[in-house]
Amino acid sequence: MLLVSIPTVWLAIVRMEGTAPALDVKLESPYIGKSRTVSISVSDSGSGIRKIWMGLLVDGREEEILQRTFPSAGFFAGGKEKTVDVEATISPQDLGLSDGKGMIRIVVWDYSLRKWGKGNQVYLEKEIQIDTQAPTISVISRRHNLNQGGSGLAIYRLSEVCPVSGVMVGDRFYPGYPGHFKDPAIHMAFFALDYTQGKQTHLAISAQDQAGNQSTKGMVYHINARSFRKDAIKLSDRFFNSKMPDFEPYFPEMAGESQLDLFLKVNREQRTKDYQKVDGITVQTEKQVFWNGAFSRLPGSANRARFADHRTYFYNGKVIDRQVHMGIDLASTAHSPVPAANNGKIAFTGNLGIYGNTVILDHGFGLFTLYSHLSHIGVSDGQMVDKGQIIGKTGMTGMAGGDHLHFGMMIHQTYVNPVEWWDAAWIKNNITSKIENAESE
């Protein structure tokens, strides 16, 4: 009697288990463009996976997208596959389906003997939107006159909501945002020409809608090539003795090495790390224009180094390194008060390696100013400041050999020439007049 009951109990508990398979569908967006791959993960630790089916229902018409049957390991063992990952590609146009709302249906069966051997079943529906049409881009800003190492503004209208749009400058992308104008379809993108990008650089506006459809639109533009000054920096033991001890904690592995070797480590590796940190700070920006009018420079100051100076470093008459200076050095009296160049929000305060004590100010829509080598910082992260408000005092922290302000400007992660932004006429001709024209659209 006992021998008969054991298989019966086993059949009831094991082979007729009632747990449906676990189903997970990775569909980050409900939008389906010209082609979309859907990832499906299924698991069933009890009876194993028997079958996966997926269909697409649009306007009452259903098209099969996927059907997979998995092998059995025998009556007593159930299915061979306990975990399965599959992908299915949906191409609406190939299926003859028109744009509009639809439904993805997915059904999975296991090898349980329940339901007269049909097994447990899990069923899932997901609403989708088929959109195979690329967005239309209309350029509102008519002309774009640019200097190598300079800044620009493009204003354009999109025919639909696009999570990604902006200006391509060579292989660099500068995002645009809505929100500045009453019409939410109008976007604005500040962009830059890196100091290395000359007259042959190609510019275009691109947009990608929620379904992944992409469009590109040409722009009318003219690029003025620029050459940049060459500067010789003569280093001395006095400079090394005064500055290198500050950087010994940055590279403890350099203990016992010469000050020259430590300098080269700092001037190359630490400089790169500092650039990367600034990139991380400026990747996020407020979607609001805070600034107004021309940007101010340090009062009563003289230029000590220019934007994109190509520096050659000499020690004992020999060339030891080369770097490019990504800002303008301004010198006044020691510990001069440093005013904010324009209205904005403090994005960063703190020590920044070769730049020493630094403040980075977000002026909105990707435009930033950087104030370095400060002896004192008088603001805090997240604080709103007005143009002319004192944010710190000049100094010689970091790699500065004398008291001065290193002033930089960036559009997203590209340094640009601040001289343009100090010029009220340039701002009117290249920035504010475009905005005013777009407001009248």
Side-chain angles (χ1 to χ4, degrees):
M1 190 71 174
L2 182 60
L3 294 175
V4 174
S5 63
I6 290 175
T8 303
V9 172
W10 174 85
L11 185 67
I13 294 176
V14 179
R15 292 299 288 116
M16 295 191 70
E17 56 88 15
T19 303
L23 170 62
D24 180 44
V25 178
K26 293 180 176 63
L27 188 65
E28 297 176 359
S29 165
Y31 289 87
I32 306 293
K34 293 180 179 179
S35 182
R36 182 76 177 274
T37 299
V38 180
S39 298
I40 302 170
S41 296
V42 181
S43 62
D44 191 297
S45 59
S47 300
I49 302 159
R50 180 193 295 267
K51 183 178 179 181
I52 300 174
W53 178 91
M54 184 174 79
L56 178 59
L57 178 66
V58 178
D59 292 333
R61 173 186 162 196
E62 189 163 58
E63 291 287 339
E64 183 179 276
I65 304 298
L66 171 72
Q67 183 173 179
R68 289 276 302 275
T69 300
F70 300 92
S72 169
F75 177 82
F76 295 103
K80 284 186 176 181
E81 304 293 341
K82 303 296 185 182
T83 302
V84 171
D85 294 315
V86 298
E87 290 186 340
T89 301
I90 302 174
S91 302
Q93 291 178 333
D94 293 344
L95 297 170
L97 299 174
S98 58
D99 288 7
K101 292 183 179 180
M103 184 83 69
I104 290 176
R105 294 175 171 177
I106 302 174
V107 190
V108 181
W109 296 265
D110 67 11
Y111 268 100
S112 170
L113 296 179
R114 287 209 172 205
K115 299 179 182 179
W116 303 102
K118 293 180 180 179
N120 301 301
Q121 172 185 306
V122 61
Y123 177 79
L124 178 68
E125 288 185 345
K126 280 187 174 288
E127 292 186 352
I128 55 95
Q129 177 75 36
I130 297 175
D131 176 10
T132 60
Q133 302 302 310
T136 300
I137 305 169
S138 301
V139 183
I140 296 174
S141 51
R142 295 178 178 83
R143 293 185 177 275
H144 308 86
N145 295 312
L146 306 159
N147 295 312
Q148 189 173 340
S151 309
L153 172 66
I155 302 175
Y156 53 94
R157 178 183 282 108
L158 300 178
S159 62
E160 60 179 294
V161 174
C162 293
V164 179
S165 72
V167 179
M168 288 297 304
V169 181
D171 59 356
R172 301 189 181 202
F173 178 72
Y174 297 88
Y177 309 104
H180 186 76
F181 303 98
K182 291 181 180 179
D183 184 350
I186 298 179
H187 291 56
M188 188 161 68
F190 287 96
F191 62 93
L193 278 172
D194 183 78
Y195 75 94
T196 62
Q197 293 179 305
K199 298 189 71 171
Q200 304 306 315
T201 306
H202 179 70
L203 275 67
I205 298 173
S206 67
Q208 179 176 297
D209 67 17
Q210 297 178 93
N213 303 303
Q214 295 183 336
S215 291
T216 302
K217 184 75 172 181
M219 301 165 57
V220 177
Y221 62 91
H222 174 75
I223 296 174
N224 299 308
R226 290 285 185 267
S227 58
F228 298 98
R229 190 177 71 163
K230 293 179 172 59
D231 191 14
I233 306 294
K234 296 180 180 179
L235 302 172
S236 65
D237 289 329
R238 181 179 177 182
F239 173 81
F240 287 156
N241 291 334
S242 66
K243 284 295 168 182
M244 288 305 98
D246 295 344
F247 289 94
E248 289 174 357
Y250 288 67
F251 299 100
E253 72 275 14
M254 295 294 291
E257 300 291 336
S258 70
Q259 290 185 324
L260 172 59
D261 289 336
L262 178 57
F263 168 80
L264 293 175
K265 193 87 167 177
V266 173
N267 207 39
R268 295 168 183 173
E269 293 185 20
Q270 187 58 44
R271 182 182 297 273
T272 298
K273 291 177 182 178
D274 297 337
Y275 285 162
Q276 291 171 345
K277 186 168 184 177
V278 173
D279 285 351
I281 295 165
T282 57
V283 72
Q284 297 294 332
T285 183
E286 296 292 328
K287 311 303 190 298
Q288 179 180 349
V289 174
F290 296 123
W291 62 272
N292 183 30
F295 284 62
S296 63
R297 56 177 285 157
L298 181 68
S301 61
N303 287 3
R304 287 294 180 264
R306 300 175 187 174
F307 174 76
D309 278 356
H310 285 52
R311 289 179 162 179
T312 301
Y313 295 84
F314 291 85
Y315 177 64
N316 289 337
K318 295 182 180 180
V319 175
I320 60 169
D321 205 7
R322 288 185 171 87
Q323 299 291 341
V324 179
H325 184 250
M326 303 312 297
I328 295 181
D329 286 349
L330 301 169
S332 182
T333 57
H335 295 184
S336 293
V338 176
N342 220 312
N343 310 326
K345 182 178 181 179
I346 303 296
F348 172 82
T349 59
N351 183 272
L352 194 59
I354 65 168
Y355 292 109
N357 294 332
T358 296
V359 173
I360 298 177
L361 191 51
D362 181 3
H363 301 283
F365 274 66
L367 182 63
F368 294 83
T369 50
L370 179 145
Y371 312 77
S372 294
H373 303 314
L374 302 176
S375 61
H376 169 74
I377 294 175
V379 290
S380 56
D381 292 359
Q383 180 180 341
M384 298 299 301
V385 297
D386 296 327
K387 180 179 179 180
Q389 183 175 337
I390 302 304
I391 61 174
K393 293 182 179 180
T394 63
M396 50 186 299
T397 56
M399 283 270 276
D403 187 293
H404 71 276
L405 172 69
H406 174 91
F407 180 76
M409 291 196 73
M410 292 156 285
I411 293 180
H412 294 285
Q413 287 75 55
T414 301
Y415 289 88
V416 296
N417 195 341
V419 170
E420 294 180 338
W421 294 92
W422 289 338
D423 185 348
W426 179 89
I427 289 178
K428 177 176 175 57
N429 293 333
N430 295 278
I431 307 296
T432 55
S433 63
K434 293 180 180 179
I435 296 174
E436 290 167 359
N437 290 337
E439 287 172 341
S440 64
E441 283 280 323

